Amino acid sequence: MKRVFIHGLGQSSSVWEETISQLNENEDILLPDLSDLIQDKEVNYENLYAAFSDFCSRSDEPVDLCGLSLGAVLALNYAIDYPDKVNSLVLIAAQYKMTKGLLRVQNFIFSFMPDSMFKSAGFKKSDFIQLCKTMSELDFSNSVKNISCPVLIVYGEKDSANKKASLELNVILENSELKRVSGSGHEVNVDAPEKLAVLLNDFYDRGIK
């Protein structure tokens, strides 16, 4: 069973390394860099999701998806569109209905940051801003309830911006469980990789294969 770990906006695939090193099973793991998936194409959500879908659909068997923030949105979107291709979901700091105010604040902050701060993620500053703009209309409220695979929902104790959506998803998704990571902010894979690994090992070892 292949497991796909999808990083968030502003991250690269390397942020998962410490967590993955502590998993009980860390073979057959795929770590796509989102900037590589969309290389030579206009950076918007539609193109990124299409490239991500193609990447996941190359697997001959259902995959386990684990995504943070933007990665969680992509994983959630794919599970809605291709339920037979997803064995399990781990959604970290996930939103299922984009908060336009939050995206505007995020883009406002991006606009004052130097271009050099975006290079490690493989995108230009203008790409970040454009991607966020094209995500503003995303709303999975009517379709997310159709997901039936096992779902682990995770949020950081200090991540107030995503706590509400995590709690709501836990109510909407019947086959889900909710975990809060103490001491962590938004980037749980960076702030608390050891704690995240414990949660993933427990989730996967309980027969989510």
Side-chain angles (χ1 to χ4, degrees):
M1 184 70 64
K2 287 185 170 57
R3 290 178 178 155
V4 184
F5 286 74
I6 316 106
H7 63 80
L9 188 61
Q11 296 185 333
S12 67
S13 62
S14 63
V15 296
W16 295 109
E17 291 177 358
E18 190 169 350
T19 295
I20 290 171
S21 69
Q22 299 176 64
L23 295 182
N24 295 336
E25 296 182 23
N26 53 19
E27 297 179 358
D28 290 327
I29 286 177
L30 302 177
L31 295 169
D33 268 306
L34 298 182
S35 60
D36 290 341
L37 292 183
I38 200 173
Q39 201 169 33
D40 301 324
K41 295 182 180 179
E42 181 182 354
V43 179
N44 56 47
Y45 183 79
E46 181 180 4
N47 285 340
L48 180 58
Y49 175 65
F52 175 73
S53 296
D54 289 344
F55 177 87
C56 292
S57 296
R58 293 174 199 158
S59 174
D60 295 330
E61 58 183 351
V63 293
D64 295 312
L65 297 179
C66 175
L68 178 136
S69 196
L70 171 59
V73 173
L74 291 167
L76 187 63
N77 200 161
Y78 187 78
I80 291 169
D81 290 347
Y82 304 98
D84 294 338
K85 296 286 291 182
V86 179
N87 184 60
S88 72
L89 275 175
V90 178
L91 304 173
I92 309 168
Q95 291 283 340
Y96 65 96
K97 180 179 180 180
M98 293 303 105
T99 306
K100 294 182 180 180
L102 182 60
L103 289 173
R104 283 196 293 269
V105 169
Q106 193 172 46
N107 271 352
F108 180 76
I109 295 172
F110 286 161
S111 68
F112 287 96
M113 295 169 62
D115 292 340
S116 58
M117 294 190 68
F118 297 86
K119 290 182 179 179
S120 62
F123 289 116
K124 298 181 294 185
K125 179 167 73 172
S126 58
D127 293 334
F128 273 71
I129 294 172
Q130 177 64 15
L131 182 56
C132 287
K133 285 181 179 178
T134 59
M135 292 177 65
S136 63
E137 300 299 325
L138 291 179
D139 186 350
F140 304 129
S141 300
N142 293 326
S143 51
V144 69
K145 61 181 178 292
N146 295 324
I147 293 175
S148 59
C149 69
V151 183
L152 173 63
I153 301 165
V154 180
Y155 71 96
E157 177 186 19
K158 300 177 183 178
D159 187 12
S160 57
N162 293 288
K163 177 181 178 179
K164 181 181 177 182
S166 296
L167 295 174
E168 291 173 349
L169 276 172
N170 183 225
V171 173
I172 296 169
L173 298 172
E174 292 185 4
N175 197 13
S176 70
E177 56 187 286
L178 179 69
K179 299 293 183 180
R180 183 188 70 171
V181 180
S182 61
S184 176
H186 178 65
E187 296 182 297
V188 178
N189 53 3
V190 174
D191 296 341
E194 301 90 351
K195 293 178 181 178
L196 179 58
V198 170
L199 294 179
L200 292 176
N201 280 327
D202 177 63
F203 181 64
Y204 291 136
D205 288 352
R206 280 185 280 118
I208 313 301
K209 297 179 181 179

